[in-house]
Amino acid sequence: MQKIRLGTVTALVFGSIFSPLPASSASTGIPTIREAALQDNVAWDFIEGLTTEVGPRPAGTAREELARDWAVARLKRLGFANVRTEPYKMPVWLRGRDEAEVIAPFPQKLVLAALGNSASTPNRGLESEVIYFPTLADLQAAPDGSLKGKIAFVSHAMKATQDGSSYGYFGATRRQGPSIASRKGAIAILIRSIGTDHHRLAHSGVQMWADDVKPIPAAALSTPDADQLVRIIGRGKPVRVHITLTSKMLQDQPSGNVIAEIPGKDPSAGVVLAACHLDSWDQGTGAIDDASGCGIVAAAALHAAKAGPLRRTIRILMAGAEEVGGDGGRAYFSAHGAEPHAMVMESDFGSDRVWRADYKLPTGHDALAARVSAALAPLGITQSRTAAGGGSDIEPLVKAGIPVIDLQQDGTRYFDIHHTADDTLDKVDKAQLQQNVSAWAVALFETADAPESLGVK
Ligand SMILES: [Zn+2]
């Protein structure tokens, strides 16, 4: 495979410098698509429009419904076919007041944000002694019942990695910490934000209660506040904190997915699905998470099919309710999981440049991976030996064995901003966004026009 890849790249490079390109549709199409997408404005305009005209879009709220209406209108205006909303209902957690202060020994306010599905405190809040755990493993090791009546505090400082993989390891504090603390008798839990910045902004995010535990108030401190609390605790005196986290749960609220297509020539070849999510957390305007992904997939699909219909339909899935548990991805799978899908891809990691492509293709499809890698190589993108895994909007399809390509984006600064009030348009770097659109455009072109079966019978 390495030889084929290098050979193709060499041919492209020489072709573009010394002579007209060979006349196959792939080789004439790819450089044109790649170059045009590097000048793209569609993605930027989508992100700018959605974040300006709708703003925050929490799942299952009227804001998310506005986002669906906005996206439907924009996708129609861009020329997509079969643009529609597919509704479903879901339970919705709504943030109220997020306040905390150290009562003793050094009284002062703390900046924090309730985590999704947090229980509410009484309106007057609650107060107790804080018990400190440097890591999630330390919390896990605490004897059962040892936190009775106390507030657990886990400070497990996340470190940035280029591929964002540290979110899996450190994110466990948010995903599992609250249930573990409740099981050990805690009346509330504070965690250090799952973030890599040093700003006084808390990172929200969802957590799901384990079946056997009672929900308790759960919140993330900004990283400077977590550091401050660690120092206060380090002075050796008992530390008391007052927390007010008011929130509520509503049942059966309307949410939905937005679908749009560029029809292909061969309906029996299966669709290529390009997914993102429309909902966002409530504090920012969801520019990097995930207006960017939606702008990228829509723009890239248009560039890929600019010269005319491809073999396969490119279907855009702008999912609802990703942030709170992937309701949109599951609703898409129950409505469309039985239809033939040739490939699924998802963009949900901001707008910074793509640096690596991961594949999970049926055996015998190495030549397709080589063609996609060759199309990506001039954009400075390498091919990994790690199998692609997709993301939560396409998770049910990936689990069902549909081929997947991950265009891995640079995640070095993603978790500085993720799920905070700082997730705003100014964080989107237009040149990196255009490189991203270009990578997506050539990958969609190659897969949608591929002569291979991609597992579709
Ligand atoms: Zn996201």
Side-chain angles (χ1 to χ4, degrees):
M1 190 148 68
Q2 196 67 10
K3 266 187 188 157
I4 297 167
R5 274 177 63 213
L6 290 173
T8 316
V9 174
T10 307
L12 282 171
V13 170
F14 281 109
S16 60
I17 296 171
F18 298 114
S19 62
L21 288 158
S24 88
S25 82
S27 54
T28 49
I30 286 292
T32 310
I33 292 167
R34 192 169 49 225
E35 290 308 313
L38 283 172
Q39 308 298 319
D40 175 74
N41 287 312
V42 171
W44 173 269
D45 289 347
F46 190 102
I47 302 162
E48 193 269 351
L50 183 62
T51 56
T52 304
E53 294 166 29
V54 182
R57 310 172 291 283
T61 69
R63 311 293 315 172
E64 195 198 33
E65 186 178 349
L66 266 180
R68 287 193 292 283
D69 294 346
W70 188 95
V72 164
R74 176 59 59 101
L75 291 164
K76 283 183 177 166
R77 198 167 98 200
L78 289 169
F80 282 89
N82 306 324
V83 181
R84 63 197 186 269
T85 294
E86 296 186 344
Y88 54 85
K89 298 222 161 153
M90 57 177 286
V92 171
W93 175 88
L94 290 176
R95 184 186 309 282
R97 273 189 305 142
D98 292 346
E99 292 165 9
E101 56 191 308
V102 177
I103 302 296
F106 310 127
Q108 55 192 284
K109 292 201 164 166
L110 297 170
V111 171
L112 82 178
L115 300 176
N117 297 323
S118 166
S120 184
T121 63
N123 267 330
R124 63 178 191 285
L126 60 81
E127 186 190 316
S128 187
E129 188 184 342
V130 174
I131 308 294
Y132 171 54
F133 300 97
T135 70
L136 183 66
D138 296 322
L139 173 68
Q140 215 141 16
D144 284 343
S146 62
L147 294 177
K148 202 162 187 320
K150 310 285 195 210
I151 298 170
F153 167 46
V154 187
S155 180
H156 199 185
M158 181 179 179
K159 302 292 178 210
T161 54
Q162 185 176 356
D163 65 359
S165 55
S166 55
Y167 189 48
Y169 172 63
F170 292 101
T173 303
R174 188 189 80 214
R175 292 188 297 268
Q176 293 153 31
S179 287
I180 297 169
S182 173
R183 203 173 279 136
K184 293 180 189 291
I187 56 167
I189 178 170
L190 299 174
I191 64 165
R192 181 190 170 99
S193 278
I194 308 304
T196 49
D197 61 308
H198 300 283
H199 293 276
R200 212 169 177 197
L201 295 167
H203 295 244
S204 195
V206 79
Q207 58 83 40
M208 303 290 183
W209 298 106
D211 290 339
D212 58 328
V213 306
K214 173 174 166 265
I216 55 175
L221 293 164
S222 85
T223 62
D225 286 87
D227 290 341
Q228 178 79 330
L229 190 53
V230 170
R231 280 192 299 271
I232 292 172
I233 290 164
R235 295 300 198 263
K237 293 188 180 130
V239 176
R240 294 190 69 80
V241 168
H242 184 272
I243 303 173
T244 310
L245 302 169
T246 59
S247 60
K248 58 183 172 189
M249 288 292 306
L250 304 174
Q251 297 304 316
D252 293 326
Q253 299 300 297
S255 183
N257 293 326
V258 171
I259 309 272
E261 291 176 345
I262 301 178
K265 292 179 285 195
D266 180 0
S268 68
V271 303
V272 170
L273 187 75
C276 63
H277 67 87
L278 271 180
D279 66 307
S280 75
W281 278 97
D282 49 353
Q283 309 104 308
T285 60
I288 65 153
D289 189 10
D290 185 28
S292 289
C294 291
I296 289 164
V297 297
L302 293 172
H303 285 289
K306 197 171 255 169
L310 305 174
R311 181 178 173 217
R312 297 182 172 87
T313 294
I314 299 176
R315 183 182 287 167
I316 304 297
L317 164 62
M318 296 191 174
E322 188 277 338
E323 293 294 356
V324 294
D327 301 68
R330 286 194 299 279
Y332 176 85
F333 188 73
S334 37
H336 301 283
E339 296 166 24
H341 284 77
M343 179 74 73
V344 289
M345 296 173 65
E346 177 175 318
S347 178
D348 186 13
F349 202 50
S351 50
D352 283 353
R353 65 188 296 275
V354 176
W355 65 285
R356 192 183 82 193
D358 304 343
Y359 300 88
K360 199 169 114 205
L361 304 180
T363 37
H365 284 64
D366 286 356
L368 173 59
R371 291 201 306 279
V372 175
S373 291
L376 294 171
L379 296 167
I381 299 166
T382 184
Q383 176 179 346
S384 81
R385 293 176 190 281
T386 306
S392 49
D393 295 316
I394 57 173
E395 188 181 311
L397 291 156
V398 173
K399 279 188 178 154
I402 309 297
V404 54
I405 299 176
D406 290 339
L407 295 180
Q408 300 287 3
Q409 298 170 231
D410 185 349
T412 312
R413 66 182 187 130
Y414 184 72
F415 291 104
D416 291 351
I417 303 156
H418 182 246
H419 298 179
T420 71
D422 230 3
D423 182 359
T424 48
L425 183 67
D426 49 290
K427 310 308 180 303
V428 178
D429 174 322
K430 193 167 178 188
Q432 294 198 60
L433 175 69
Q434 288 170 320
Q435 186 265 7
N436 211 307
V437 172
S438 185
W440 266 84
V442 295
L444 286 177
F445 176 87
E446 285 287 10
T447 50
D449 226 23
E452 288 92 344
S453 70
L454 280 160
V456 177
K457 285 155 200 98

